[in-house]
Amino acid sequence: MEENKDKRGPQEPEKGYSRKARLLAWAGVAFMVFLVIMYTYSLASGAILEF
C-alpha cells in the first residue's frame, strides 16, 4: 500500500479572485479593446493624420 507522499496535509479549495477584481479586469480588457479599435479606425481612415 502506497502512502501519501504529500506532507502538507489536506488541501484547502482554492479561493478565486473577488468579484470586484474580476469586474475591474474585464473593464480593463474592454477598455483596451476599445482603444485598439479606435486607433485602428483612426489610422485606417487617415483621420489621425489631419491636424
Side-chain angles (χ1 to χ4, degrees):
M1 187 155 77
E2 188 174 325
E3 293 182 23
N4 188 3
K5 305 267 184 199
D6 193 6
K7 304 284 186 193
R8 293 177 287 180
Q11 297 289 324
E12 294 182 11
E14 291 185 17
K15 296 180 180 177
Y17 295 104
S18 70
R19 187 178 185 102
K20 183 178 179 181
R22 268 190 245 128
L23 182 64
L24 287 174
W26 277 111
V29 168
F31 184 68
M32 292 304 295
V33 168
F34 171 74
L35 286 178
V36 167
I37 291 171
M38 185 181 68
Y39 277 106
T40 302
Y41 176 76
S42 298
L43 284 172
S45 67
I48 205 167
L49 300 175
E50 297 174 5
F51 291 105

